[in-house]
């Protein structure tokens, strides 16, 4: 019986080791591909779901990345922007509008960094690969407790980050292109009634 238990334990450990190796290999493959694409444009469907709290929010938008800059627009009323000097989150509601200002990399409203959407998991994460999904956990403090990267071949199809409240933030991608010409990385603060400046030391 002891021999059987040892054999089963070794088998489980071997499977876990193989999965970890496969995950590491796939992470490197995806990171190397997208890390070598400095400019891109991609359609995004964002779904925020928390079954325990009983809510679901779905938005469709377009993300454009050029080097250190990015702009993610969900229709005409919500804009996430990094112009290289400041990060902004601008929202417009029928009865209120608001814009927030952050130092680059300090946007506390974002669950992931949109400027490195396709590569942020390339370091500081460990996990396994199950079928065509990488199931990873950050090795240091992050805004999420786990992230799932779904892929087809060497193309990322979606990224899902789960936060401490159990909310699933899923970003599904389509129409990936390296043509970003004509993109304006700008926002007009004067269009927003309430202005909240969260910048510290980067003005």
């Amino acid at each position: 019986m002891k021999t059987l238990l040892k054999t089963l334990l070794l088998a489980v450990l071997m499977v876990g080791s193989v999965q970890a190796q496969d995950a590491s290999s796939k992470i490197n493959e995806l990171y190397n591909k997208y890390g070598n694409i400095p400019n891109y444009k991609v359609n995004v469907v964002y779904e925020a779901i928390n079954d325990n709290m009983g809510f679901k929010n779905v938005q469709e938008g377009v993300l454009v990345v050029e080097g250190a800059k990015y702009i993610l627009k969900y229709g005409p009323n919500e804009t996430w922007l990094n112009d290289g000097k400041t990060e902004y989150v601008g929202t417009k509601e029928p009865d209120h509008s608001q814009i927030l200002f952050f130092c680059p990399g300090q946007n506390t409203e974002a669950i992931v960094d949109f400027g490195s959407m396709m590569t942020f998991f390339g370091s500081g994460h460990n996990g396994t690969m199950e079928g065509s999904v990488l199931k990873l956990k950050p090795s240091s403090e992050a805004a999420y407790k786990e992230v799932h990267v779904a892929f087809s071949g060497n193309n990322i199809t979606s990224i899902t980050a789960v936060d401490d409240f159990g909310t699933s933030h899923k970003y599904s991608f389509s129409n990936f292109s390296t043509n970003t010409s004509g993109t304006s990385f700008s926002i007009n603060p004067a269009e927003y009634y309430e202005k909240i400046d969260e910048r510290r030391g980067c003005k």
Side-chain angles (χ1 to χ4, degrees), residues 31-200:
Y31 179 83
N32 289 334
K33 174 188 174 178
Y34 289 99
N36 287 317
I37 304 175
N39 304 334
Y40 64 85
K41 179 179 181 180
V42 65
N43 291 352
V44 179
V45 176
Y46 169 62
E47 299 174 82
I49 302 172
N50 189 311
D51 293 332
N52 293 330
M53 296 183 180
F55 76 80
K56 178 177 181 179
N57 178 39
V58 180
Q59 295 175 281
E60 296 185 18
V62 177
L63 170 66
V64 182
V65 175
E66 283 189 5
K69 300 179 182 180
Y70 74 76
I71 185 166
L72 173 59
K73 293 183 71 71
Y74 294 115
N77 295 327
E78 184 171 337
T79 302
W80 299 71
L81 169 69
N82 181 347
D83 62 7
K85 297 179 180 179
T86 304
E87 287 196 62
Y88 310 82
V89 182
T91 56
K92 297 177 181 178
E93 302 292 342
D95 59 347
H96 185 69
S97 63
Q98 174 181 279
I99 186 168
L100 294 91
F101 305 81
F102 297 94
C103 295
Q106 297 180 17
N107 185 349
T108 55
E109 297 294 307
I111 189 74
V112 299
D113 180 3
F114 297 124
S116 58
M117 173 67 87
M118 301 297 190
T119 56
F120 74 92
F121 58 87
S123 62
H125 292 79
N126 298 295
T128 60
M129 186 169 69
E130 298 181 16
S132 57
V133 178
L134 287 166
K135 294 190 174 182
L136 310 174
K137 293 189 177 184
S139 54
S140 59
E141 185 177 354
Y144 51 87
K145 63 181 181 180
E146 60 182 277
V147 62
H148 301 164
V149 181
F151 56 88
S152 176
N154 67 344
N155 298 315
I156 296 174
T157 57
S158 71
I159 291 175
T160 304
V162 182
D163 66 24
D164 289 334
F165 298 101
T167 304
S168 170
H169 304 264
K170 182 177 181 180
Y171 302 87
S172 299
F173 309 111
S174 62
N175 297 328
F176 188 93
S177 170
T178 56
N179 182 6
T180 62
S181 60
T183 302
S184 174
F185 294 90
S186 63
I187 192 169
N188 184 1
E191 295 180 358
Y192 300 87
Y193 175 76
E194 183 180 12
K195 299 174 177 61
I196 302 174
D197 197 334
E198 298 288 350
R199 291 172 291 184
R200 300 290 184 272

Side-chain angles (χ1 to χ4, degrees), residues 6-17:
K6 287 182 179 180
T7 302
L8 290 173
L9 179 58
L10 285 172
V12 170
L13 291 174
M14 288 178 64
V15 169
S17 177

